[in-house]
Amino acid sequence: MKKNKKKKLVAAACLALLAAAAGTFAWINSQDQRINRVKTAAIKDGSVSVEENWKPKPIVPGTDATKEVAVTNSGDTPVFVRVSYEEVLKHLTEKGAVTNRTTGWKANEVLSLSDDIPVEYDGEKYTGPESDYIDVTAKVKDGSDAALPAGVKVYAKGSVTKDPVTGAENTTFSYSAFFEYASGKYQAMETEVSVAGGNAVGSQIEDWNFVMSKAEYSVYKGGYSNMATNWAASSLEGASADATTAKASLLGSAGKKYDVDYDYTSKALGLDALPAVTPATDGDQIPVANSEKKGVQADKVALGVSGIRVEYGTDMVTTAALAKDKWAYNKEDGYFYFTSPVISGATTPHLLKKLIFTNDIGTEYTNATYDLIVKMEAIQATKEALTDSTGWNLNGADDSETKKITAYLDEQAAS
């Protein structure tokens, strides 16, 4: 697995003004996004932000990575906040399946997303100073008695013993063969190597002769594919025109933030179009109690496995049992709503606590990277901002989850 590293992105936004028949209002909106890569309207003046304690770790089954997410209001007025996700999962198109071909990798090959890629091999295990394997490449011929192709390496160890009773000689032999396509870079191979002569009692393995009757080079056919998901429609402009059109904050954009390059354009992702907004409705992905460990969308859709899970905080509630100072998920729009205004200087309880890599993770996740984009929106804690079209536009039907959340927040609004 590739080691994963953290990315932190913050998209700028601007003040939104709206004119209504009853008067002129200015809702202060802002948004904040943070990308967490595991190798995952906010008040536009930046006074409301995602507070995060993120300790990335490689995707290893049975482990977890600290990912504590809360929202802080450093402004002067109370705000309502909501949080959602965008995801990008880069995975092998053939889900870790290995294919062999007759030609070795070339160090100067320029890859597109869908090109075959070499299966990397730990050749240093055999070439390094701690190894007890000997380089016997020069003593190996192919089936036509010719030298091996340049770059193919064979390391071996073995001995010959003589039975004191029968006098029969017994040869033990083990080897590893691989292709060095660049200095210190090795491609896995599927080979058959056998001893052809020179193996006698007292001989050294570097004096033996060998024949390689099979030599195939291992690749991941079809390279990589990306699965992107957008849980909720952003109410503010995204980081690009395409992002705004797709109602996303970062999907559809590319840039450099905090010295980190990112590219979520449809071309870079190999997608014909950016994903439509798809709120999570699967019960396995919706927390309804404290500290639940729930799945995400990308790996379930792309790989058929819910190997990456989120451990939620200890202040969760359902829309059927709303209570103050809790987080509630609205499956109608894909947002987690904090159920009380966040006053000046306050920080919400943690929505997220950890990313968990379960024991269900298998070869499907080979070489995968997962980006979880946590996006937050905040508005002034007023009734008008909840329902106005330039605010959150929360105008759900009677008895809908959206209506229940709106009514609950409305009771606590400043006006």
Side-chain angles (χ1 to χ4, degrees):
M1 300 286 179
K2 292 182 179 178
K3 291 188 175 179
N4 307 288
K5 56 185 179 179
K6 173 182 177 182
K7 282 188 176 182
K8 185 182 291 183
L9 306 176
V10 178
C14 59
L15 185 66
L17 298 178
L18 98 96
T24 300
F25 301 92
W27 310 136
I28 299 179
N29 291 325
S30 70
Q31 64 182 5
D32 189 11
Q33 308 91 9
R34 293 175 186 256
I35 294 179
N36 299 275
R37 172 164 293 167
V38 294
K39 281 222 178 282
T40 94
I43 295 294
K44 293 185 177 178
D45 60 5
S47 61
V48 183
S49 60
V50 174
E51 298 297 323
E52 181 180 79
N53 177 19
W54 168 233
K55 298 179 180 178
K57 292 182 180 180
I59 301 176
V60 176
T63 66
D64 58 58
T66 298
K67 180 177 174 51
E68 297 174 340
V69 171
V71 178
T72 294
N73 178 13
S74 58
D76 296 327
T77 60
V79 295
F80 290 130
V81 298
R82 63 183 184 180
V83 171
S84 192
Y85 307 140
E86 294 169 15
E87 303 176 72
V88 177
L89 174 69
K90 183 179 180 181
H91 64 91
L92 292 170
T93 300
E94 295 296 319
K95 302 179 182 180
V98 174
T99 300
N100 295 319
R101 66 184 195 183
T102 57
T103 56
W105 196 253
K106 296 180 181 179
N108 60 351
E109 288 192 40
V110 178
L111 296 178
S112 67
L113 189 67
S114 60
D115 286 341
D116 295 350
I117 59 174
V119 177
E120 298 291 338
Y121 190 74
D122 185 12
E124 292 183 359
K125 177 179 178 180
Y126 301 94
T127 64
E130 303 300 320
S131 173
D132 57 352
Y133 280 73
I134 304 298
D135 185 355
V136 297
T137 305
K139 302 291 290 183
V140 186
K141 303 292 185 181
D142 67 11
S144 301
D145 200 35
L148 298 181
V152 174
K153 307 290 185 182
V154 180
Y155 281 70
K157 64 180 179 179
S159 62
V160 182
T161 59
K162 187 173 185 177
D163 190 297
V165 177
T166 65
E169 293 185 350
N170 179 53
T171 298
T172 60
F173 162 65
S174 62
Y175 77 94
S176 181
F178 43 89
F179 178 56
E180 187 173 19
Y181 62 88
S183 179
K185 300 289 187 180
Y186 306 100
Q187 181 181 8
M189 296 184 67
E190 187 171 321
T191 62
E192 292 179 2
V193 176
S194 57
V195 179
N199 51 322
V201 174
S203 65
Q204 301 297 314
I205 196 168
E206 53 263 44
D207 297 324
W208 299 3
N209 297 311
F210 306 89
V211 61
M212 180 179 285
S213 56
K214 178 181 180 181
E216 297 179 349
Y217 304 81
S218 300
V219 297
Y220 297 118
K221 188 176 181 179
Y224 289 103
S225 296
N226 283 291
M227 170 56 63
T229 66
N230 182 8
W231 287 46
S234 295
S235 66
L236 302 176
E237 55 280 323
S240 71
D242 287 343
T244 300
T245 300
K247 299 181 179 180
S249 58
L250 292 182
L251 292 178
S253 68
K256 187 171 185 176
K257 303 285 186 178
Y258 297 98
D259 296 323
V260 177
D261 294 305
Y262 73 100
D263 193 341
Y264 294 147
T265 60
S266 56
K267 181 179 180 180
L269 295 177
L271 302 175
D272 293 332
L274 293 173
V277 173
T278 308
T281 57
D282 187 332
D284 186 52
Q285 297 168 354
I286 300 173
V288 296
N290 295 339
S291 303
E292 284 196 308
K293 301 172 180 65
K294 293 294 185 176
V296 294
Q297 294 190 53
D299 61 348
K300 181 65 177 295
V301 175
L303 306 178
V305 180
S306 291
I308 301 172
R309 304 183 77 79
V310 174
E311 180 178 323
Y312 286 89
T314 58
D315 294 272
M316 309 302 299
V317 71
T318 67
T319 56
L322 294 172
K324 291 183 178 181
D325 299 324
K326 304 290 184 181
W327 288 101
Y329 178 73
N330 182 0
K331 64 183 179 183
E332 294 171 358
D333 66 12
Y335 275 104
F336 294 85
Y337 288 83
F338 191 61
T339 59
S340 296
V342 184
I343 63 174
S344 176
T347 298
T348 69
H350 289 121
L351 172 61
L352 284 67
K353 295 289 286 185
K354 294 179 181 178
L355 284 185
I356 297 173
F357 312 123
T358 75
N359 289 323
D360 291 331
I361 286 177
T363 56
E364 305 95 336
Y365 292 80
T366 300
N367 286 8
T369 60
Y370 174 71
D371 293 3
L372 179 63
I373 303 158
V374 177
K375 61 183 180 183
M376 180 277 298
E377 294 188 355
I379 58 174
Q380 289 179 328
T382 65
K383 295 179 181 181
E384 293 85 355
L386 287 170
T387 57
D388 194 273
S389 60
T390 59
W392 282 350
N393 197 27
L394 297 179
N395 291 290
D398 290 345
D399 296 325
S400 66
E401 291 198 353
T402 300
K403 188 69 172 181
K404 292 175 183 176
I405 291 172
T406 306
Y408 194 85
L409 294 178
D410 189 80
E411 293 176 355
Q412 303 175 72
S415 63

